[in-house]
Amino acid sequence: MKYSNKLHLIKKIFVEKIKKNSRFNYPLLTDGYSSSDLQEASKVLLSGRLTMSQITKKFEEYFAQKIGSKFALMVNSGSSANLLALFCLINPLRKKKLKKGDECIVPALCWSTSLWPIIQAGLKPVLADVNLKTFTLDLENIKKKITKRTKAVMILNVLGNCSEMEKIKTYLNKKKIFLIEDSCEALGSKYKKKYLGTYGDFGTYSFYYSHQVTSGEGGMIVCNSKEDFNILKSLRAHGWDREINKKNIKNFNFINEGFNLRPLDITAAIGFNQFKRLSKLKSTRAKNRNNLIKFIKSSKKWNDQYSFFNPQKNLDPSWFGFPLMINNKSVKSKKSFLKYLNKNKIETRPIISGNFANQPAIKKYNIKYKKKDLKNSQEIEDRGFFIGLPTKILDSSKINKITNLLLNVNNF
Ligand SMILES: Cc1ncc(COP(=O)(O)O)c(C=O)c1O
């Protein structure tokens, strides 16, 4: 029997075992790795070299070319990609750099490691509200928070969606404000034929569990400037110039400060293999999303219990999950309803992490905000949650079960 066939059989046995032991019948992601992903990973294991090497490099080059960016650099997580973007902007090797206390606008509906790198880099985060329809920071929200000290904006392309990126980019360019696009939840989404993540000076992606490409851990950062790319390379690995200067005089030549945020070649191998079939994964998720909405809206139990997420006009979305906004009085019992879904083996998540201004750490770091300025972010936290969108087509009996459970929201 061929090695690939053997692997396929072994995987089938393991997947059944995992399913049996899983807490959820409908987790955020089922069976995330194909046999060929595992085969690529096992080739790396058998090569004896697990650390970052040629596969990472090949993946980076392929990724940059496909996504339409000049440069791509792989790191060990989406969080690390955000960290590198911010530390690149303040780096002494950069001609035009930000300085301590410069302001960076960030949506209140954000992930922790979209916000913390701003603070870690010595900048001042300014929390802005988001658009209630798209869950993203739009131009009006940005304009409300712009001051003379605004030097950067961190946008989050939530769950595959976006704002009017061209308008935002043009506005920020005029004002000479940097744009970082946290596209950790939006790999493969295209706005006006350009991939999300490529509108910004930096675009970041995550390959964590249940994201559009999932290699366990992993992330990518893209940019178009060679100066930035070289800074990112040195920051990723200790501050040395090994990946920049081919004719470096010494093996350990430190030209910059640095971290160690390198990925493993094994995660690159899985990520690379999955990335090659991103368009298939994307279209399957889109079909599942459309079917879920169709079944919910055509059910006898349908009574406008939910609103669905609106994709931005001109967006070809690559969905991450299936968000729902509870419409009626049941909003108050959202907590007990989510417990009910969990008890019935449906895994749920908040939208990003809700209104981040409510997190205890915000007080510790003295981040000022006015509650009334963040009404939409709060409403999304109060009414919203999401469930997974599998990368295999959902059959109608499964969709019926999920629909039935979801439409019980009024009973709480
Ligand atoms: C918007 C956003 N940014 C950043 C991250 C961090 O990515 P990672 O988990 O790969 O560190 C996530 C994680 O899910 C995210 O949703």
Side-chain angles (χ1 to χ4, degrees):
M1 193 190 259
K2 268 170 66 183
Y3 177 64
S4 56
N5 293 344
K6 273 190 204 160
L7 205 62
H8 189 68
L9 277 179
I10 295 169
K11 186 186 161 258
K12 250 181 134 176
I13 297 165
F14 270 89
V15 166
E16 283 315 310
K17 232 179 159 177
I18 291 165
K19 273 189 189 163
K20 245 191 200 161
N21 294 334
S22 171
R23 277 172 55 217
F24 298 107
N25 280 333
Y26 191 75
L28 288 190
L29 184 71
T30 334
D31 189 12
Y33 307 101
S34 72
S35 321
S36 74
D37 293 341
L38 298 184
Q39 190 168 352
E40 292 309 306
S42 65
K43 275 190 210 161
V44 179
L45 269 176
L46 294 170
S47 78
R49 173 155 189 166
L50 305 187
T51 52
M52 185 181 86
S53 185
Q54 287 312 307
I55 298 170
T56 305
K57 194 159 190 300
K58 280 190 189 144
F59 182 23
E60 290 168 345
E61 284 166 4
Y62 185 84
F63 190 97
Q65 188 230 325
K66 286 282 166 195
I67 225 79
S69 182
K70 278 201 185 135
F71 306 105
L73 194 82
M74 190 176 176
V75 280
N76 58 2
S77 71
S79 304
S80 300
N82 283 344
L83 188 72
L84 283 191
L86 267 303
F87 272 78
C88 186
L89 281 175
I90 58 154
N91 200 265
L93 295 186
R94 202 173 199 275
K95 275 191 211 97
K96 192 169 174 280
K97 51 193 160 291
L98 304 190
K99 54 182 192 313
K100 219 176 162 149
D102 283 346
E103 290 178 2
C104 177
I105 295 174
V106 58
L109 191 79
C110 71
W111 184 247
S112 87
T113 51
S114 321
L115 171 76
W116 297 121
I118 299 171
I119 296 170
Q120 286 151 350
L123 306 178
K124 185 179 167 203
V126 176
L127 295 180
D129 209 3
V130 294
N131 183 302
L132 195 54
K133 288 193 175 142
T134 58
F135 301 175
T136 53
L137 197 58
D138 64 21
L139 188 53
E140 291 317 303
N141 299 129
I142 293 172
K143 281 182 177 171
K144 278 183 198 159
K145 294 291 169 188
I146 290 269
T147 72
K148 279 196 185 121
R149 293 177 302 279
T150 310
K151 296 290 183 257
V153 173
M154 162 78 85
I155 270 193
L156 270 76
N157 296 318
V158 179
L159 295 168
N161 213 349
C162 71
S163 290
E164 294 175 298
M165 297 307 294
E166 263 179 356
K167 272 192 189 169
I168 292 176
K169 185 67 189 156
T170 310
Y171 175 80
L172 295 180
N173 271 353
K174 260 192 207 151
K175 294 204 164 274
K176 297 194 168 49
I177 294 172
F178 292 108
L179 174 64
I180 304 147
E181 246 188 304
D182 179 338
S183 294
C184 284
E185 300 189 351
L187 177 59
S189 280
K190 254 183 183 172
Y191 175 68
K192 293 192 174 176
K193 301 210 158 63
K194 210 167 129 60
Y195 280 107
L196 295 185
T198 61
Y199 283 89
D201 297 282
F202 299 95
T204 62
Y205 305 91
S206 164
F207 308 140
Y208 187 61
Y209 162 72
S210 89
H211 287 241
Q212 288 87 346
V213 158
T214 165
S215 59
E217 296 277 6
M220 195 74 86
I221 177 163
V222 296
C223 65
N224 280 320
S225 139
K226 181 88 187 201
E227 180 194 39
D228 285 337
F229 188 49
N230 283 340
I231 294 172
L232 293 173
K233 280 200 263 191
S234 63
L235 285 172
R236 174 179 68 174
H238 311 280
W240 63 37
D241 68 348
R242 195 179 294 171
E243 278 95 36
I244 304 165
N245 185 3
K246 296 277 172 339
K247 291 183 242 139
N248 56 351
I249 322 138
K250 316 189 266 188
N251 203 5
F252 294 105
N253 197 37
F254 296 96
I255 53 161
N256 201 353
E257 63 175 317
F259 306 98
N260 181 358
L261 308 174
R262 287 174 302 194
L264 295 170
D265 247 20
I266 195 163
T267 47
I270 298 171
F272 193 1
N273 203 49
Q274 278 191 21
F275 183 68
K276 286 180 189 158
R277 51 177 208 282
L278 179 60
S279 61
K280 175 90 183 57
L281 298 169
K282 169 176 159 178
S283 67
T284 309
R285 282 185 156 179
K287 276 183 199 146
N288 284 333
R289 175 182 184 270
N290 292 343
N291 284 337
L292 277 163
I293 296 178
K294 202 167 89 190
F295 274 58
I296 292 173
K297 285 195 166 174
S298 60
S299 162
K300 277 188 206 142
K301 286 164 76 179
W302 173 244
N303 188 20
D304 272 329
Q305 290 96 323
Y306 295 107
S307 303
F308 303 99
F309 193 41
N310 292 332
Q312 177 62 248
K313 202 172 156 217
N314 295 316
L315 177 74
D316 166 19
S318 172
W319 298 119
F320 173 33
F322 182 61
L324 294 134
M325 291 277 277
I326 303 173
N327 270 340
N328 45 37
K329 58 180 171 38
S330 311
V331 169
K332 289 199 187 78
S333 19
K334 187 181 122 183
K335 213 171 155 190
S336 39
F337 175 62
L338 294 190
K339 258 194 192 159
Y340 161 82
L341 288 183
N342 278 212
K343 229 170 114 188
N344 282 282
K345 300 197 161 209
I346 295 187
E347 191 171 16
T348 64
R349 285 282 188 280
I351 312 288
I352 311 257
S353 50
N355 178 3
F356 208 82
N358 298 331
Q359 298 294 341
I362 288 289
K363 283 196 193 78
K364 294 259 180 278
Y365 285 83
N366 205 22
I367 299 165
K368 301 271 186 289
Y369 66 94
K370 287 193 183 112
K371 250 187 176 174
K372 69 172 176 53
D373 290 347
L374 306 176
K375 275 190 190 144
N376 291 345
S377 306
Q378 189 56 46
E379 186 166 340
I380 293 166
E381 171 168 327
D382 294 340
R383 291 175 51 204
F385 68 95
F386 81 89
I387 60 172
L389 266 183
T391 50
K392 305 254 157 68
I393 290 291
L394 284 166
D395 62 40
S396 25
S397 83
K398 190 115 187 174
I399 305 187
N400 264 326
K401 269 187 205 153
I402 298 162
T403 301
N404 266 320
L405 290 167
L406 287 173
L407 290 176
N408 283 342
V409 65
N410 278 351
N411 306 339
F412 285 79

